[in-house]
Amino acid sequence: MTEATETGRRKADRPETDRLDTDRPEADRLGAGSAPGRGAAVSVDGVGIRFGSFQAVRNISLDIAAGEFLCLLGPSGCGKSTLLSAMAGFVTVDEGDLKVGGAPITGPDPGLGMVFQSSEALFDWMTVRQNVAFGPRMRGATRAAQTKLADEYLGLVGLRHCADRFPGQLSGGMRQRVQIARVLANEPGVVLMDEPFGALDAQTRQVMQEETDRIWRASGCTVVFVTHDIDEAILLADRIAVMTAGPAASVKSVYPVDLARPREEADPAATELRRALRADIGEEVRKALLDQGLDQGLDQDVDPKGNVR
């Protein structure tokens, strides 16, 4: 598999008095052992996950470089979100190993930030600033440090002017940007994003994709991003990992995205990559539909890949 180009991480310097005062040493946080100014590397080695007798994913291996933007792409039900939840420490793996910055993932950790699809993950009774400051507050930050971190990351996502509003007063896209700022305020080595723009309209989704690219380049975090959208993956990713149809899904292929940023949909190289991804994923979707009992027609001859001959 081709390794993607690593991206540097810029981290704002703050006086020692403003740093987080927490019971857990910084060095014990996942991703804290990565090189200064970079996101954390993620290692997925032979991972399998079962729920009772149901095998969700099997034998998945991926090496994600520090600062890389990797997209997980595949048909519905292939285990993309399950794998992401395991990376977040929400789900225990049954086989193989998951590591961040060389340390095993044993549960949820401030070094692993999760951005959910629904903006309902925000606390409606808190202001935008209070939402973003929630993580540092739980980690023991002083009030001054909480405010400084919240304002810093609200500025990064372009919402400092909304700091005193409540989530219900914001649009869907703005709420998702607040959610991203809240994750970044914990200064994680890895940001995990589970179809964060799936519920947005097409115009807002496009703006949010462009904003995510900008924010990722400014923060330098490692990002693992789950999507069904081929164009979204091409726009954002350094590499795209295509998963097979579930159950017992695995990684089928990995595509490097060697395109200059910001990217243009009309780029001939993007068009060629889009064509290859559609063929690859289309084959898996057809397999899944056949497994679910799709009737191809009594008079049609179908090959093992689901293609009508």
Side-chain angles (χ1 to χ4, degrees), residues 101-294:
I105 299 173
T106 57
D109 189 278
L112 302 168
M114 185 74 157
V115 179
F116 298 96
Q117 179 173 348
S118 173
S119 58
E120 292 178 4
L122 297 175
F123 301 126
D124 287 340
W125 60 92
M126 291 184 180
T127 66
V128 165
R129 181 183 284 114
Q130 289 169 337
N131 266 280
V132 176
F134 183 78
R137 173 187 164 195
M138 292 296 100
R139 289 165 48 208
T142 64
R143 284 185 180 272
Q146 292 174 37
T147 300
K148 187 171 184 178
L149 279 168
D151 288 348
E152 176 182 338
Y153 287 103
L154 283 173
L156 181 62
V157 301
L159 288 176
R160 192 174 292 156
H161 64 289
C162 297
D164 295 321
R165 298 183 192 176
F166 290 90
Q169 297 173 302
L170 305 180
S171 68
M174 294 168 77
R175 288 196 297 270
Q176 286 300 77
R177 283 152 66 192
V178 173
Q179 198 181 165
I180 292 171
R182 185 171 68 174
V183 166
L184 293 177
N186 276 321
E187 299 191 321
V190 180
V191 175
L192 308 165
M193 307 183 78
D194 190 5
E195 297 191 74
F197 314 135
L200 302 179
D201 63 82
Q203 291 78 14
T204 304
R205 184 183 182 113
Q206 181 178 354
V207 171
M208 286 303 303
Q209 289 165 350
E210 294 168 355
E211 285 295 290
T212 297
D213 180 60
R214 177 186 65 79
I215 292 165
W216 164 69
R217 286 189 281 169
S219 70
C221 291
T222 304
V223 176
V224 184
F225 190 105
V226 165
T227 182
H228 286 95
D229 189 325
I230 292 173
D231 289 330
E232 184 170 68
I234 293 173
L235 178 69
L236 294 173
D238 288 321
R239 289 187 302 160
I240 301 169
V242 175
M243 294 183 66
T244 63
S250 60
V251 173
K252 180 181 183 181
S253 48
V254 178
Y255 293 80
V257 187
D258 297 322
L259 300 171
R261 297 175 186 270
R263 291 170 176 165
E264 296 291 337
E265 289 186 14
D267 187 317
T271 301
E272 185 62 30
L273 179 57
R274 187 178 300 112
R275 184 179 297 114
L277 287 167
R278 282 179 176 167
D280 212 355
I281 294 171
E283 181 177 306
E284 296 305 314
V285 171
R286 284 190 291 271
K287 286 180 183 177
L289 291 175
L290 286 173
D291 288 343
Q292 293 167 16
L294 176 67

Side-chain angles (χ1 to χ4, degrees), residues 9-19 36-37 148-149 152-153 187 218:
R9 182 171 190 252
R10 177 190 56 79
K11 208 173 180 182
D13 293 329
R14 292 191 294 278
E16 194 65 28
T17 54
D18 277 345
R19 292 190 183 277
K148 187 171 184 178
L149 279 168
E152 176 182 338
Y153 287 103
E187 299 191 321

Side-chain angles (χ1 to χ4, degrees), residues 24-44:
R24 185 176 186 187
E26 185 71 16
D28 288 346
R29 296 177 62 209
L30 286 178
S34 56
R38 309 184 73 85
V42 180
S43 172
V44 184

